[in-house]
Amino acid sequence: MIARVRVIAVPAALVVAALLPALIPHPFVLTLATQAMVWALLAASWDLLSGYTGQVSFGHAGFFALGAYAAATATKHADLSPWLGLVFAALVAALVGGLAGFPALRLRGHYLALVTLGLAEIVRLVAQNWLELTGGPFGIHDYRTFPGLPAAPLAHRQARYVIVVAIVAASVVAMRALCERTPAGKAFRAIREDEVLAEMLGIRTTVYKLLAFVVSSAFAGLAGALYAYDVQLVSPSVASAATTSFVIGMAVFGGLGTVWGPVLGALLLFGLSEGLRFIGVVYNLIAVGLVIMIFVVFVPRGLAGGRRTA
Amino acid sequence: MLRVADVRSGYGKLEILQSVSLAVGEGEIVGLIGPNGAGKSTLLKTAFGYLAPFAGEVALEGRPLVGLRPDQVVRLGVGYVAQAGGLFADMTVHENLVLGGYALRSSREARAAVDELYARFPLFAARRRQPAGSLSGGEQRILAVARALAVRPRLLLLDEPSAALAPRFIADVYDTIRALNGGGIAMLIVEQNVEAILAVAHRVFVLDLGRNAFDGTPAELRASDRIRRLYLGEDEG
């Protein structure tokens, strides 16, 4: 059943995603679709760490915000090309992920979750109070986006969408390949299933956990940079716990430990939350929360049939 | 080859082993028995270097194992087979075997090791894509032993290889153990099934409340009234 869903749904989703600018050439729809893609990348990056290695992060919004601020500030204050800004953002998030992960990954379970939650809160507080660099509570804006795009509004929006889709698709393929086709991916899954046993076999669990943490942080940072260049405004709220909660919901809804499941979950849940805006900006989130709760109870493996939620 | 001398060990501040010593010679099977809570698994983990002892010495052919990472111990030629459930049940048979070779230095060496395992255990070659958790209890235990062979160990540490197995599967597991020992692999085996281990062990070591209670051959153990009463559940006379 799941295999059939994957065989049909994934190629269909890819075709629709690729043709969307032609199928629905509407700036509003394309704006939402672009943001959904950014969420998809963030959810997939969370899944790489938490779904594959079982190291639960409650602070992925922190890496997302780091990437967003790194890209926006580098472009605004140092006039860095947005193309290089993407790389810079991923590197900054990876570096902070590595520095935080090295001591944090010696912890397990709830302790690691609390450390990552604290890290995101630190990022949020720094962003809120470092006025000169980040713009403080009002955020950072007035910086350029990807160069060389068409000037006409619709064509500009279409081009921006295509760029984001291409980068997200390449990133998701790379993450999936890392997790499913490399020795590191097998080690990730072994750690998730039984970390002590993995260690007793001679698998260097700390090294692999750190690798997952760094790669996951880098892709979360890349998602943040795409967000920054698309939305053109980064404020401290992107680092909030609500961002991480939404991402975890997307990953669980889509199916943990699959990469593509959280992508699907993000696209559907983001679409649902935006589609239900007409009922009110709080009620739509309540509705999304209910959908996630129902899914956890009745479809614990998620849309993609990933591993069970504990 | 393995020497554990005057070891005190445990978890955190809890001392389980109180000055325990044992040795495993080349090609020898040493059985480690004792009541629940005696510290058998703790001794096995300490012998592997996974638990750092509070005091005492653990050495393989004179080289201290204390302070080494598990992958370093594995590379020195020590394999560890965990208690029941010691497999990655949701991963395939092939993935389990591949993971056994992660401590090897090169991927070519690791691939060759897995090929050798398939040649030695053709059953697993036929089931390579099957989830390990779907194998029978006995097959799972043999797979765990096979996986530990990926690094070509000279010493295997096995934690209760017969636990929770039906009698016919216990026979299969011990046939595998005998065959491996015939190939020169020394073993230290923690076991609750006393009859099974006495049938294959060259020497038996009894642990009680974290202390040495007996060290001798199976025949000597059977000849000791006190040990027989205490650990084999046999009546006097």
Side-chain angles (χ1 to χ4, degrees):
Chain A
M1 172 64 186
I2 294 303
R4 202 180 303 157
V5 168
R6 191 163 53 188
V7 167
I8 297 168
V10 172
L14 287 174
V15 170
V16 170
L19 298 180
L20 193 69
L23 292 174
I24 312 176
H26 192 288
F28 178 68
V29 173
L30 291 175
T31 299
L32 291 184
T34 308
Q35 288 176 25
M37 288 294 167
V38 172
W39 281 100
L41 177 55
L42 183 57
S45 75
W46 185 87
D47 190 44
L48 188 150
L49 176 66
S50 301
Y52 271 91
T53 68
Q55 312 299 307
V56 177
S57 165
F58 277 172
H60 246 49
F63 299 112
F64 180 74
L66 268 173
Y69 274 109
T73 54
T75 297
K76 179 165 183 167
H77 299 302
D79 197 30
L80 188 71
S81 155
W83 300 115
L84 291 176
L86 295 175
V87 178
F88 179 65
L91 288 176
V92 168
L95 181 67
V96 174
L99 291 175
F102 190 68
L105 288 172
R106 292 173 185 278
L107 305 172
R108 285 177 189 171
H110 308 313
Y111 299 104
L112 175 65
L114 286 174
V115 167
T116 52
L117 183 65
L119 181 71
E121 192 57 14
I122 290 169
V123 172
R124 193 183 69 78
L125 289 171
V126 169
Q128 192 155 306
N129 292 288
W130 196 349
L131 298 177
E132 300 78 14
L133 189 73
T134 65
F138 301 108
I140 183 168
H141 46 85
D142 292 336
Y143 54 89
R144 62 199 169 100
T145 185
F146 302 108
L149 303 186
L154 178 60
H156 182 90
R157 176 41 68 188
Q158 287 172 317
R160 229 196 253 186
Y161 170 82
V162 168
I163 289 168
V164 171
V165 165
I167 293 171
V168 169
S171 303
V172 168
V173 167
M175 279 189 273
R176 174 85 184 168
L178 173 68
C179 292
E180 295 292 337
R181 299 195 181 281
T182 68
K186 286 189 189 69
F188 293 167
R189 285 182 285 143
I191 290 167
R192 178 186 74 203
E193 285 208 28
D194 191 333
E195 187 173 341
V196 172
L197 176 61
E199 205 170 345
M200 299 292 249
L201 288 177
I203 297 171
R204 306 221 18 213
T205 55
T206 305
V207 171
Y208 284 111
K209 285 196 296 182
L210 190 62
L211 175 68
F213 207 81
V214 167
V215 173
S216 173
S217 304
F219 280 111
L222 179 62
L226 290 173
Y227 172 89
Y229 290 128
D230 183 60
V231 176
Q232 300 274 279
L233 167 69
V234 184
S235 65
S237 65
V238 295
S240 70
T243 303
T244 301
S245 305
F246 199 20
V247 166
I248 294 174
M250 290 165 169
V252 170
F253 180 76
L256 297 177
T258 58
V259 173
W260 69 272
V263 169
L264 202 58
L267 298 179
L268 291 176
L269 281 189
F270 183 80
L272 184 69
S273 76
E274 292 301 317
L276 291 178
R277 267 185 187 271
F278 72 92
I279 65 171
V281 287
V282 173
Y283 296 115
N284 69 332
L285 293 177
I286 291 173
V288 168
L290 283 173
V291 169
I292 292 171
M293 285 168 66
I294 290 167
F295 246 73
V296 168
V297 173
F298 293 105
V299 194
R301 291 178 185 270
L303 291 171
R307 72 183 179 89
R308 287 179 71 89
T309 44
Chain B
M1 73 190 304
L2 176 72
R3 183 167 164 271
V4 175
D6 301 321
V7 156
R8 289 171 42 227
S9 183
Y11 304 91
K13 289 183 179 171
L14 181 64
E15 188 171 293
I16 307 285
L17 302 178
Q18 299 159 23
S19 196
V20 172
S21 299
L22 70 74
V24 180
E26 292 279 351
E28 202 175 37
I29 295 181
V30 174
L32 183 54
I33 63 175
N36 283 331
K40 303 184 295 293
S41 294
T42 305
L43 179 53
L44 208 64
K45 285 176 186 156
T46 307
F48 184 65
Y50 185 75
L51 282 181
F54 306 144
E57 189 193 351
V58 180
L60 183 75
E61 292 166 342
R63 179 172 178 169
L65 297 184
V66 177
L68 296 184
R69 293 189 311 265
D71 61 298
Q72 293 171 316
V73 175
V74 168
R75 271 197 288 274
L76 287 176
V78 183
Y80 188 97
V81 181
Q83 228 171 14
L87 285 176
F88 302 108
D90 284 347
M91 300 177 79
T92 64
V93 166
H94 182 70
E95 287 173 326
N96 268 275
L97 292 177
V98 168
L99 286 163
Y102 265 42
L104 294 171
R105 294 230 177 254
S106 76
S107 54
R108 183 185 298 176
E109 207 182 341
R111 275 197 300 274
V114 172
D115 288 344
E116 275 175 33
L117 292 177
Y118 281 138
R120 183 182 273 181
F121 301 94
L123 165 76
F124 297 135
R127 300 188 179 183
R128 53 188 293 153
R129 298 196 186 283
Q130 196 172 321
S134 68
L135 298 175
S136 72
E139 288 165 349
Q140 288 189 29
R141 213 58 56 81
I142 293 171
L143 178 62
V145 173
R147 185 182 56 194
L149 301 178
V151 288
R152 299 182 185 89
R154 289 170 295 134
L155 170 67
L156 267 185
L157 309 178
L158 293 98
D159 199 351
E160 297 199 29
S162 74
L165 288 183
R168 68 190 176 97
F169 293 136
I170 294 175
D172 289 346
V173 170
Y174 271 91
D175 284 348
T176 304
I177 286 172
R178 268 192 210 91
L180 295 175
N181 181 246
I185 298 177
M187 298 184 192
L188 174 60
I189 304 176
V190 166
E191 189 54 279
Q192 288 283 5
N193 187 331
V194 178
E195 288 306 328
I197 190 66
L198 291 186
V200 298
H202 300 103
R203 282 191 308 116
V204 186
F205 186 89
V206 180
L207 199 63
D208 190 17
L209 294 173
R211 292 176 185 277
N212 293 65
F214 177 86
D215 184 3
T217 64
E220 288 167 345
L221 185 138
R222 288 184 193 281
S224 163
D225 287 341
R226 187 178 68 86
I227 297 295
R228 230 176 46 223
R229 273 200 315 278
L230 284 174
Y231 303 111
L232 302 188
E234 293 176 12
D235 294 332
E236 255 179 300

